[in-house]
Each structure stands twice: as structure tokens, then as C-alpha cells.
């Protein structure tokens, strides 16, 4: 089902942005959802996203790139003495590479999650029939 809803700040970090279409003025958007409640056009519905999916998505979007940056920087610091290069440059370079790779991996993970339907909201119930 396609549900018209309002865009919020949480939308900016959502892994399923591709499933939403912004309408007219940019505040309203259409969201693709699994119609578990058998809602009809005009019904007001409650959309839900599984807590486990929300926690997983939050970790992936917010923490994974930062952890990759820190691990890359620490690894660059350690490898600098082994290769006799400037530790700051090695730390910066490897940290930046790890940070970039984290976003590439996130893109692949996003496609996989989208195919399995884990990031697609569900129409939980009908609040008001249209």
C-alpha cells in the first residue's frame, strides 16, 4: 500500500528513503507499506516498524561509520611505524578510507534489507475508515 504521511527529522537517516516519494511542498510524502490491516484508500492508518529493525538501522547508520573511522585511524597509527611513514597521515588516510568503505557497505546492506522487507513499515491497524 502507498500511505501519505508527513516527513520528519528521522527520515533523513532512514535506510529506506528509496521507498518514499516526496509530494508537492516537501512535507508530505508517500510511503510504501505492507498492508497487513487490509486498509482501503481514504483510511487513516497506524504505521509501524519493528523495534529490532529500528535498532539495527540506527546502529548501521549512526555507529558503524564512526566505528569504522576509529578502527581505520587506530590501524593507520599502528601501521605507520611498521612502514616508517608519518603516523598522523597514515591515521588520517586509513581512517578516511575505512569511513568511505563503511558507506559503501551500508549501501549494499540497505539493498539487502530492502529486498527482504525488513525496512518496510507495516500498516498495523486502521485508525479511522475513510
Amino acid at each position: 500500500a502507498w500511505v501519505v504521511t508527513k516527513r520528519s527529522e528521522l527520515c533523513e537517516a532512514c535506510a529506506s528513503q528509496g521507498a518514499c516519494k516526496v509530494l508537492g511542498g516537501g512535507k508530505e510524502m508517500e510511503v510504501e507499506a505492507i498492508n497487513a490491516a487490509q486498509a482501503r484508500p481514504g483510511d487513516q492508518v497506524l504505521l509501524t516498524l519493528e523495534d529490532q529493525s529500528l535498532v539495527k538501522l540506527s546502529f548501521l547508520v549512526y555507529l558503524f561509520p564512526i566505528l569504522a573511522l576509529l578502527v581505520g585511524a587506530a590501524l593507520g597509527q599502528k601501521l605507520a611505524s611498521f612502514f616508517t611513514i608519518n603516523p598522523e597521515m597514515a591515521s588520517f588516510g586509513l581512517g578516511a578510507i575505512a569511513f568511505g568503505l563503511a558507506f559503501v557497505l551500508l549501501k549494499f546492506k540497505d539493498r539487502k534489507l530492502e529486498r527482504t522487507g525488513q525496512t518496510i513499515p507495516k500498516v498495523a491497524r486502521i485508525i479511522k475508515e475513510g
Side-chain angles (χ1 to χ4, degrees):
W2 285 96
V3 180
V4 176
T5 185
K6 293 193 190 296
R7 184 180 271 294
S8 73
E9 294 84 31
L10 295 174
C11 295
E12 299 306 319
C14 181
S16 287
Q17 287 182 32
C20 302
K21 295 181 182 176
V22 177
L23 301 175
K27 277 293 189 186
E28 285 189 342
M29 62 185 195
E30 282 186 334
V31 178
E32 184 179 14
I34 298 169
N35 192 1
Q38 303 302 314
R40 295 190 184 118
D43 291 348
Q44 289 183 5
V45 297
L46 174 67
L47 292 178
T48 60
L49 185 64
E50 293 179 25
D51 289 342
Q52 183 182 17
S53 293
L54 192 57
V55 170
K56 185 189 299 185
L57 292 174
S58 297
F59 170 77
L60 286 174
V61 170
Y62 292 110
L63 292 179
F64 181 64
I66 293 170
L67 289 175
L69 173 71
L70 293 174
V71 169
L75 190 60
Q77 192 79 20
K78 293 283 184 194
L79 291 177
S81 61
F82 183 71
F83 290 108
T84 61
I85 56 176
N86 184 337
E88 287 82 18
M89 290 303 292
S91 182
F92 174 78
L94 215 49
I97 290 169
F99 190 68
L101 284 175
F103 283 104
V104 171
L105 290 173
L106 277 177
K107 190 64 177 170
F108 286 115
K109 184 67 174 174
D110 176 44
R111 288 182 184 154
K112 181 180 176 188
L113 288 173
E114 200 168 308
R115 276 195 307 268
T116 61
Q118 293 179 13
T119 60
I120 299 175
K122 292 181 177 75
V123 176
R125 65 182 168 98
I126 300 170
I127 297 172
K128 183 179 173 186
E129 292 190 18

